[in-house]
Amino acid sequence: MGYVQIGFVIIMAFLVGVTFTSLLIPILQKKHAGQNIREDGPQSHMKKAGTPSMGGLAIISAAMFIFIFTVWTRHSFGSEFVVISTAFLLFGALGFLDDYEKVAKHQNLGLRAWQKLVLQIIISVGIAWYMANFSITGTVVYIPFVGEYIDFGIWYIPFIAFVIVAMSNSVNLTDGLDGLASGVTAIVALFFAVAASAFMFEIPMLFCAALCGACLGFLVFNKNPAKIFMGDTGSMALGGGLATAAIVMNMTLLLPVAGFVYVAEALSVIIQVVSFKTTGKRVFKMAPLHHHFELCGLGEKTVVALFWAAALACCVCGLAAL
């Protein structure tokens, strides 16, 4: 019955996502909320300048609309709903603030890096503190593949805060090609919806299913050639919301397994920066990783398809870990 519910929620969120995105595009065009392309990025991307950004508003609105509706029909409002919704909306608000700074100043730089990091840490520590003190599992973390549980004790809050911040930024780094972040996140969200159903986590299941459908609805307009980008509004919300849902289910350590594409994108940036700072040489032609493959000669659609396939493979590994 859980899988039927997942399918139903995904379809509803997809339809709402398509509707909200189609309505948002002309509004953003009228407001001149266009994307500013980074000058040090691939030159082929310069033609995308001016494409409406902040499309994450449609994803957030569609996912929350269906999430609230399905939870309301089951009279299941509770702490799990509150903590997931809070993380999703707060990270979305932070991303919106960053996007707004970019649009208002007509440049590719929004909030300063340290400002975003401080705000992300504050939100994440708050979520971690709540989970440590008020969740059923407390500070115990499930270890996949071996099937053991370990009590992290005083290290739980910094560990969980790190996971949420890392996930939010990793999804943000993945959002660099048409349909890349929205497609990968739809796949990963579907995995966690299935995992939640298998272990009877109804609220996280509904959220992940709604998130999957909303991403797919947005993808209709975000696929190449994209008519709209999600911006930091969408990418930060996706990372923060998905990470928190996994934490609520005590499947925290499945995030780097099912979401290994995000990990690879983030690691490519870290490796590139460390290598250049220490040796003056670059490991990749350009970071994040998807740009490296582009500069190796692969077309944008091909790179996106490969990353979608990789995400699907990683999620299969995640199912094996369960």
Side-chain angles (χ1 to χ4, degrees):
M1 186 64 180
Y3 299 143
V4 174
Q5 289 178 328
I6 290 172
F8 181 64
V9 173
I10 289 175
I11 292 172
M12 287 196 301
F14 170 79
L15 295 174
V16 175
V18 168
T19 302
F20 283 5
T21 307
S22 65
L23 294 174
L24 182 61
I25 291 174
I27 295 174
L28 294 175
Q29 289 174 332
K30 186 177 180 180
K31 297 292 185 181
H32 302 290
Q35 177 71 37
N36 296 288
I37 306 298
R38 47 184 279 207
E39 295 180 359
D40 59 341
Q43 291 303 302
S44 60
H45 287 207
M46 297 307 295
K47 61 185 179 182
K48 300 181 182 184
T51 302
S53 186
M54 303 170 73
L57 291 171
I59 300 176
I60 294 170
S61 300
M64 283 304 302
F65 180 83
I66 297 302
F67 185 38
I68 292 172
F69 174 76
T70 52
V71 172
W72 175 74
T73 58
R74 290 165 174 74
H75 306 287
S76 301
F77 291 103
S79 60
E80 291 182 348
F81 170 82
V82 172
V83 71
I84 293 173
S85 299
T86 299
F88 189 50
L89 293 175
L90 284 179
F91 273 97
L94 175 57
F96 176 82
L97 181 60
D98 190 38
D99 283 336
Y100 182 79
E101 283 287 308
K102 295 175 185 176
V103 172
K105 296 179 180 178
H106 299 286
Q107 60 182 20
N108 199 45
L109 297 174
L111 296 175
R112 294 181 181 275
W114 70 266
Q115 293 175 319
K116 285 191 288 187
L117 183 60
V118 167
L119 291 172
Q120 288 173 338
I121 291 174
I122 291 173
I123 298 170
S124 300
V125 168
I127 295 168
W129 177 85
Y130 178 86
M131 293 301 298
N133 290 279
F134 298 103
S135 69
I136 296 175
T137 55
T139 58
V140 173
V141 176
Y142 173 72
I143 311 299
F145 296 105
V146 297
E148 298 292 337
Y149 292 85
I150 296 179
D151 190 344
F152 275 46
I154 61 173
W155 297 106
Y156 180 84
I157 291 178
F159 168 69
I160 293 299
F162 169 78
V163 168
I164 299 173
V165 171
M167 186 69 174
S168 176
N169 286 298
S170 296
V171 177
N172 185 246
L173 290 171
T174 305
D175 183 32
L177 299 179
D178 295 354
L180 179 56
S182 52
V184 169
T185 302
I187 294 169
V188 177
L190 176 60
F191 162 78
F192 278 107
V194 171
S197 175
F199 288 89
M200 306 298 288
F201 290 105
E202 185 179 38
I203 301 304
M205 179 194 74
L206 295 174
F207 173 76
C208 291
L211 191 61
C212 175
C215 285
L216 291 175
F218 180 76
L219 186 58
V220 171
F221 301 93
N222 183 234
K223 68 180 186 299
N224 187 276
K227 299 179 178 65
I228 187 172
F229 299 138
M230 68 172 66
D232 287 2
T233 305
S235 60
M236 287 193 184
L238 295 181
L242 198 55
T244 303
I247 291 164
V248 167
M249 294 185 283
N250 203 5
M251 297 182 184
T252 310
L253 292 179
L254 281 175
L255 280 168
V257 179
F260 185 74
V261 169
Y262 303 134
V263 176
E265 293 276 41
L267 283 177
S268 70
V269 174
I270 295 171
I271 292 171
Q272 187 84 323
V273 172
V274 172
S275 176
F276 187 74
K277 293 288 188 182
T278 56
T279 68
K281 298 180 180 180
R282 292 180 171 86
V283 176
F284 304 100
K285 292 186 177 182
M286 185 176 290
L289 191 59
H290 53 260
H291 289 324
H292 171 77
F293 283 103
E294 274 192 293
L295 295 182
C296 284
L298 295 179
E300 183 171 347
K301 291 182 180 180
T302 302
V303 176
V304 171
L306 286 173
F307 276 56
W308 287 357
L312 184 59
C314 292
C315 287
V316 171
C317 292
L319 289 175
L322 291 174

